[in-house]
Amino acid sequence: MTSATTAPGTRAPAAPATGGNTLAGTRTLIRFALRRDRVRLPVWIGALVLATLTTANSFRTLYGDPQDRANAVAGVDSPAGLALSGPRHYLVDDGFGSLLSHQMIGFTAVLVGLMSVLTVTRHTRAEEETGRAELVRSTVVGRHAHLAAALSVAVLADVVLALLLAAGLTGLGMEGIDAQGSLVYGCAHAAAGLVFAAVAAVTVQFTAHTRGASGMALAVIGAAYVLRAAGDSGENGALSWLSPIGWVQRSYPYVDNRWCPLLLCLVSAVACAAAGFVLSTRRDVGAGLRPEKAGAATASAALATPVGFALRLHRGMLTGFGTGLFLMGAMYGSILGDAEDMLAGIEEIEEALERIGGAGVAESFASMVMAVLTVVAAVYVVMAALRPRSEETAGRAEPLLATGLSRSRWAGGHLAVATGGGTVVLLLAGLGFGIAGAASTGDAGLLPDLVGAALAYAPALWVTAGVAAVLFGWFPRAVRAAWIVPVYAFVVGYLGQILQFPDWMDDLSPFGHVPRLPAADMDWTPLLWLTLVAAGLMWLGLAGFRRRDLDMK
């Protein structure tokens, strides 16, 4: 790098002369970003639209009878139920539209925010971290062009999502889902995406690392969700007004169709984006406003080992997933005592719970929820198992492997952290689920049962890491295909129970072979086979890595 750094908080040198236009080149960068995201964004948008339309269409059978809808409304009308879904005002109407908004907006708004955050960080901080932004900025490109282009792409994706949601829901022709409500529903998601994209425009200014910028923005999304949940479970809902997710939920699609909360999102997004542009003038390209901490004079003994070094790289993500899954498990556990009342009268869900089996509704419901917690843990495992590929493409693996460190030990350290860390986050999910579940049901025996149920999925997580290892070792350009494993597990393992997918589809997922504790009896045989398969896949992946060429930088 040739750029001079400046002290944090001081104004950086001006960009190369561009005729005074700080946005010069923005249109070209937008086209370039759209070209790079020609697969990523359509997949994101398509998945969100498809999930929403599939859920809405499933309501025809889940809540086809008015009495089923009345039972569903009564089932979530409790502090725990409202914390998981949304404000009580939706429950004044038991139409399909109000049920969809109540159950989906709080969840999908988080996913839209995730899409927007990753889009902005990918085209701003990641470009600076790899050095590409410095090369581009040396040409006739304005200081604010990169950030403006990234925000433009995020806005475009959010608007397209809103229009597709509105058109798709209107086209279902369901009772209680009209065109106006569908437009508000779609715009609510776009508004959430705009706010979190603007938040990312601020966080990318503080740290010199993409993961740090994304982590801070995702922490804001998590805090927004927690504030929303705490507010909706309270009496007056005041805390929800501190959360952008709470704002979009209070647009009340299909009930009141309010636009004012969405205008509040728009104002906040503009303010945050403006702050991001201002802060970008107070730092140099590639630097962050937050000063780097001085490292220790000597490294610890653990950092001299492959596992210790990998753990150091993964510790932030591991901490975040562990904390998040503990809280997520605790939220689900808090409603375990009300599960029977919440689900009473909903025929399809009752049938799904009967297929799972178990001594009672609480145990069967816990088995279904465990599938969701496990999929989130699998997301961590995939991210951790693919970290070696990121290190390789960034050029950081090459100098390490030029020493006496073997390829197997280097990649094996990351796999060890992926598998061990996945087991740890499963344990934390089970602890949160068990502690809150035991408290809500008054049954202390649920704690060890739910912890054991969570840990039973560990071999399936190891298989997931093994799939990622094989792709990394033999097909490095196709490593992102590893995401198919957790996505398929969620669709088949959770939604398949409700939509009654055939059993053979469940058998294609490693998670489908795990005994559904605590509802089912323990069976060690499939867990042993999954462990052997995981070990074989990891060995095969490491063997492939030893034989292929590195991506040289």
Side-chain angles (χ1 to χ4, degrees):
M1 300 297 173
T2 58
S3 60
T5 58
T6 58
T10 62
R11 188 175 298 275
T18 59
N21 185 3
T22 59
L23 296 176
T26 301
R27 183 180 302 178
T28 302
L29 290 178
I30 291 174
R31 292 172 56 193
F32 180 55
L34 291 174
R35 169 72 177 176
R36 292 181 62 199
D37 286 349
R38 64 189 182 278
V39 175
R40 182 188 301 258
L41 285 180
V43 168
W44 266 105
I45 295 172
L48 289 169
V49 172
L50 181 61
T52 301
L53 297 184
T54 301
T55 301
N57 193 56
S58 70
F59 284 3
R60 298 180 193 267
T61 53
L62 287 175
Y63 311 122
D65 188 270
Q67 185 59 45
D68 291 337
R69 296 197 290 274
N71 291 337
V73 167
V76 296
D77 193 8
S78 65
L82 295 174
L84 284 176
S85 51
R88 180 176 279 109
H89 185 66
Y90 282 103
L91 304 183
V92 301
D93 186 347
D94 62 357
F96 287 123
S98 60
L99 285 176
L100 178 69
S101 299
H102 189 237
Q103 295 184 18
M104 289 292 290
I105 289 182
F107 173 68
T108 50
V110 172
L111 297 179
V112 176
L114 178 61
M115 176 186 72
S116 299
V117 165
L118 295 180
T119 298
V120 172
T121 56
R122 171 177 167 83
H123 296 296
T124 53
R125 177 51 65 183
E127 292 295 287
E128 296 186 41
E129 191 173 7
T130 57
R132 289 190 293 264
E134 185 178 20
L135 294 176
V136 173
R137 287 274 295 274
S138 66
T139 64
V140 186
V141 172
R143 167 179 287 278
H144 297 315
H146 269 103
L147 182 55
L151 288 173
S152 298
V153 172
V155 169
L156 180 60
D158 293 331
V159 171
V160 170
L161 174 65
L163 294 177
L164 290 177
L165 285 175
L169 289 171
T170 303
L172 290 177
M174 296 175 62
E175 179 185 355
I177 297 183
D178 55 15
Q180 182 181 2
S182 298
L183 182 60
V184 176
Y185 185 93
C187 290
H189 288 77
L194 294 179
V195 172
F196 293 122
V199 168
V202 174
T203 61
V204 296
Q205 312 304 331
F206 283 95
T207 177
H209 305 288
T210 307
R211 290 179 181 270
S214 300
M216 285 189 286
L218 296 181
V220 173
I221 295 178
Y225 186 86
V226 171
L227 286 172
R228 193 282 308 162
D232 289 343
S233 63
E235 292 295 329
N236 55 17
L239 286 176
S240 296
W241 285 102
L242 300 177
S243 166
I245 299 176
W247 301 343
V248 299
Q249 283 191 319
R250 276 155 179 77
S251 60
Y252 295 122
Y254 306 111
V255 180
D256 294 338
N257 294 327
R258 298 178 182 174
W259 292 99
C260 290
L262 304 186
L263 292 177
L264 180 59
C265 290
L266 182 60
V267 171
S268 299
V270 171
C272 287
F277 282 111
V278 172
L279 292 174
S280 69
T281 65
R282 300 185 176 276
R283 64 175 184 85
D284 197 9
V285 179
L289 292 173
R290 186 177 64 183
E292 295 288 340
K293 293 182 179 179
T298 58
S300 65
L303 283 179
T305 65
V307 174
F309 184 68
L311 183 60
R312 177 65 177 265
L313 294 177
H314 291 260
R315 63 179 181 179
M317 185 170 62
L318 179 59
T319 301
F321 269 89
T323 303
L325 271 171
F326 180 84
L327 296 176
M328 189 176 179
M331 289 181 63
Y332 277 116
S334 67
I335 66 171
L336 202 55
D338 300 326
E340 187 168 0
D341 294 334
M342 289 175 59
L343 304 177
I346 304 177
E347 183 178 350
E348 281 71 15
I349 295 183
E350 288 182 337
E351 290 178 356
L353 295 179
E354 288 176 3
R355 288 194 297 273
I356 294 175
V361 174
E363 289 79 5
S364 300
F365 180 69
S367 299
M368 183 179 288
V369 169
M370 198 63 71
V372 180
L373 298 175
T374 305
V375 168
V376 179
V379 171
Y380 162 78
V381 169
V382 172
M383 294 177 67
L386 296 185
R387 181 64 185 266
R389 178 60 179 171
S390 299
E391 295 293 299
E392 179 186 0
T393 56
R396 293 187 289 267
E398 183 182 353
L400 288 175
L401 297 177
T403 65
L405 179 62
S406 69
R407 292 191 179 197
S408 296
R409 292 182 62 210
W410 175 75
H414 286 279
L415 282 177
V417 174
T419 55
T423 307
V424 169
V425 298
L426 269 183
L427 174 63
L428 292 173
L431 279 174
F433 198 17
I435 292 171
S440 65
T441 60
D443 183 4
L446 272 179
L447 176 56
D449 289 344
L450 292 178
V451 171
L455 291 177
Y457 280 94
L461 287 185
W462 303 340
V463 172
T464 304
V467 171
V470 169
L471 291 171
F472 169 68
W474 293 94
F475 312 101
R477 295 185 181 277
V479 290
R480 296 191 182 278
W483 287 108
I484 295 175
V485 179
V487 171
Y488 185 84
F490 175 76
V491 172
V492 176
Y494 179 67
L495 297 180
Q497 293 294 330
I498 300 174
L499 302 179
Q500 301 184 22
F501 289 172
D503 292 339
W504 64 265
M505 294 185 66
D506 201 29
D507 293 338
L508 296 178
S509 168
F511 300 91
H513 299 277
V514 177
R516 294 188 176 275
L517 305 176
D521 294 330
M522 182 61 182
D523 184 0
W524 289 98
T525 302
L527 301 187
L528 293 175
W529 277 111
L530 287 172
T531 302
L532 291 175
V533 169
L537 290 173
M538 291 181 193
W539 177 86
L540 182 61
L542 292 176
F545 181 52
R546 288 195 300 268
R547 286 164 172 77
R548 71 171 175 85
D549 293 332
L550 284 178
D551 277 350
M552 307 297 284
K553 298 295 180 183

